[in-house]
Amino acid sequence: MPNVQKKTQIIAQLNIVSALRTIILTGLAILIFYPPYARGLYFDKELLPFHIMSFSLFILFWIYKFLNKDYAVFKTPLDYAAAGMVVVYFLPIVFTQAANMRMAVGELLKYCNYFAIYLIIRDTVKNKKELYTLLNI
């Protein structure tokens, strides 16, 4: 009996992981489709829903990664370059060298969003069919 119960738990966890992956891919499709129609994401009012949705999707992505026991953040040199871009936009805020602090924080959030979406796509898209589906939205 313990084996049957353990197998049932494993199947339930796999179903949860599969459902999370589907939610994440659907959220990515919406994130990629929606922003160009929000006046190019130049206005703060249109950026706020994008930030909220992308960071909530990023939280779901980390839950998905932990359920898969995948704890690595950086896997390729491109990951370090993308993280470096976020750090470059963070430095003027830390050292108060930004000419306009509000715009600097806005740009930092924008690049954090780009980095988060990059990480989500890198780890959730498993084959070329899914990649082409996301790219052709």
Side-chain angles (χ1 to χ4, degrees), residues 4-15:
V4 173
Q5 188 176 18
K6 190 171 184 176
K7 286 180 184 179
T8 307
Q9 288 175 346
I10 291 172
I11 291 172
Q13 184 176 0
L14 288 175
N15 288 339

Side-chain angles (χ1 to χ4, degrees), residues 12-23:
Q13 184 176 0
L14 288 175
N15 288 339
I16 291 171
V17 169
S18 176
L20 261 177
R21 186 171 180 276
T22 304
I23 290 169

Side-chain angles (χ1 to χ4, degrees), residues 26-45:
T26 305
L28 272 174
I30 292 169
L31 275 178
I32 291 171
F33 174 76
Y34 170 72
Y37 298 104
R39 296 195 288 175
L41 291 179
Y42 292 115
F43 303 99
D44 293 337
K45 225 175 172 182

Side-chain angles (χ1 to χ4, degrees), residues 69-124:
K69 294 179 178 46
D70 179 17
Y71 306 115
V73 178
F74 300 110
K75 296 179 180 176
T76 65
L78 187 59
D79 301 343
Y80 291 104
M85 195 68 171
V86 172
V87 170
V88 164
Y89 275 88
F90 183 67
L91 290 176
I93 296 170
V94 171
F95 296 114
T96 63
Q97 297 296 316
N100 186 341
M101 192 60 74
R102 185 169 192 258
M103 285 182 69
V105 171
E107 287 298 311
L108 174 67
L109 282 174
K110 208 183 289 187
Y111 278 91
C112 285
N113 274 321
Y114 298 153
F115 182 62
I117 291 170
Y118 163 74
L119 288 178
I120 294 170
I121 289 174
R122 183 201 68 194
D123 283 347
T124 55

